[in-house]
């Protein structure tokens, strides 16, 4: 690894260590579950959380560097047990620069029922462009989880998928965008749950969902765009 690449990898390790703090800040994870990874831009490398390490102990040095087959390239500990799924996504979706996994409560409750979250909220139309889809039931260890994520999210506007009976996987142009999608996924899952508990939520017309999504992804916020789904051309 030349000096420039080593410096960029060290920076990315620090960024990914810090981004894990957002998972605890927003209450998306329990104990050591959940993980954030980032692709090293222009390299067949990724950085990811180590397996079984407390969130409070995550520092740049504990973050593991792997190749895109999940083999450790640099780092002290074993990488996350979800490394194979993250690596599969990076291999199959070159536009993706960050992947996040959580078992956040409300979103995972929808996953436990095998039910996609219908688009009842303008914030969901903004961020997800429609429903948040359900992925297949898949056991950890091989490529099944990664395959399920890629199959559902390829060509889908949503940067989040609810893997059946398991939890949330999100993608983004970078790790921060994937973390934002995980935070927003739990937020809309909670509100959708409350809305349905109170009665029958009102649908949003598909044309209005399209208009909201387009405005949010192309017009909203500071330049350059920081939306999570707007990375197809990146
Ligand atoms: Zn999991």
């Amino acid at each position: 690894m030349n000096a420039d690449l080593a410096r960029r990898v060290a920076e990315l390790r620090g960024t990914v260590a810090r981004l894990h703090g957002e998972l605890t800040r927003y209450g998306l994870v329990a104990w050591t579950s959940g993980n954030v990874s980032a692709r090293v831009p222009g390299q067949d490398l990724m950085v990811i959380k180590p397996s079984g390490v407390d969130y409070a102990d995550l520092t740049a040095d504990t973050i593991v560097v792997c190749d895109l087959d999940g083999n450790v390239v640099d780092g002290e500990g074993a990488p996350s047990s979800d490394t194979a799924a993250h690596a599969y996504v990076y291999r199959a979706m070159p536009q993706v620069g960050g992947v996040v996994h959580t078992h956040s409560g409300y979103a995972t409750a929808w996953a436990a029922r095998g039910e996609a979250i219908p688009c009842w909220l303008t914030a969901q139309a903004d961020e997800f462009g429609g429903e948040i889809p359900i992925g297949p039931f898949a056991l950890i260890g091989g490529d099944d989880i990664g395959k399920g994520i890629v199959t559902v999210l390829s060509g889908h506007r949503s940067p989040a998928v609810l893997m059946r009976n398991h939890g949330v996987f999100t993608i983004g142009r970078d790790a921060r965008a994937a973390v934002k999608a995980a935070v927003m996924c739990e937020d809309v899952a909670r509100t959708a749950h409350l809305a349905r508990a109170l009665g029958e939520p009102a649908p949003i017309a598909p044309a209005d969902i399209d208009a909201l999504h387009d405005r949010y992804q192309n017009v909203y916020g500071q330049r350059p765009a920081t939306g999570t789904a707007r990375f197809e051309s990146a």
Side-chain angles (χ1 to χ4, degrees), residues 82 101 103 166:
D82 293 303
H101 173 49
H103 303 155
H166 181 175

Short mmCIF file of all heavy atoms in Angstrom, two decimals, residues 82 101 103 166, ligand 1:
data_model
loop_
_atom_site.label_atom_id
_atom_site.label_comp_id
_atom_site.label_asym_id
_atom_site.label_seq_id
_atom_site.Cartn_x
_atom_site.Cartn_y
_atom_site.Cartn_z
N ASP A 82 -20.98 -10.07 9.34
CA ASP A 82 -21.74 -9.72 8.15
C ASP A 82 -20.85 -9.29 6.98
O ASP A 82 -21.35 -8.80 5.96
CB ASP A 82 -22.74 -8.61 8.47
CG ASP A 82 -23.83 -9.07 9.41
OD1 ASP A 82 -24.52 -10.05 9.07
OD2 ASP A 82 -23.99 -8.48 10.49
N HIS A 101 -25.90 -2.14 8.38
CA HIS A 101 -26.83 -3.18 8.82
C HIS A 101 -27.24 -2.92 10.26
O HIS A 101 -26.38 -2.63 11.10
CB HIS A 101 -26.17 -4.54 8.70
CG HIS A 101 -27.00 -5.65 9.28
ND1 HIS A 101 -28.34 -5.81 8.98
CD2 HIS A 101 -26.70 -6.64 10.16
CE1 HIS A 101 -28.80 -6.85 9.64
NE2 HIS A 101 -27.84 -7.36 10.38
N HIS A 103 -30.56 -4.03 13.38
CA HIS A 103 -31.82 -4.72 13.73
C HIS A 103 -32.74 -3.70 14.40
O HIS A 103 -33.41 -4.04 15.38
CB HIS A 103 -31.55 -5.88 14.69
CG HIS A 103 -30.58 -6.90 14.18
ND1 HIS A 103 -29.85 -7.71 15.02
CD2 HIS A 103 -30.23 -7.27 12.92
CE1 HIS A 103 -29.07 -8.52 14.30
NE2 HIS A 103 -29.29 -8.26 13.02
N HIS A 166 -35.12 -10.69 9.86
CA HIS A 166 -33.75 -10.38 10.25
C HIS A 166 -33.56 -8.90 10.60
O HIS A 166 -33.47 -8.55 11.77
CB HIS A 166 -32.80 -10.83 9.13
CG HIS A 166 -31.36 -10.58 9.43
ND1 HIS A 166 -30.34 -10.98 8.61
CD2 HIS A 166 -30.76 -9.93 10.46
CE1 HIS A 166 -29.18 -10.62 9.13
NE2 HIS A 166 -29.41 -9.99 10.24
ZN1 LIG B 1 -28.08 -9.04 11.53
#
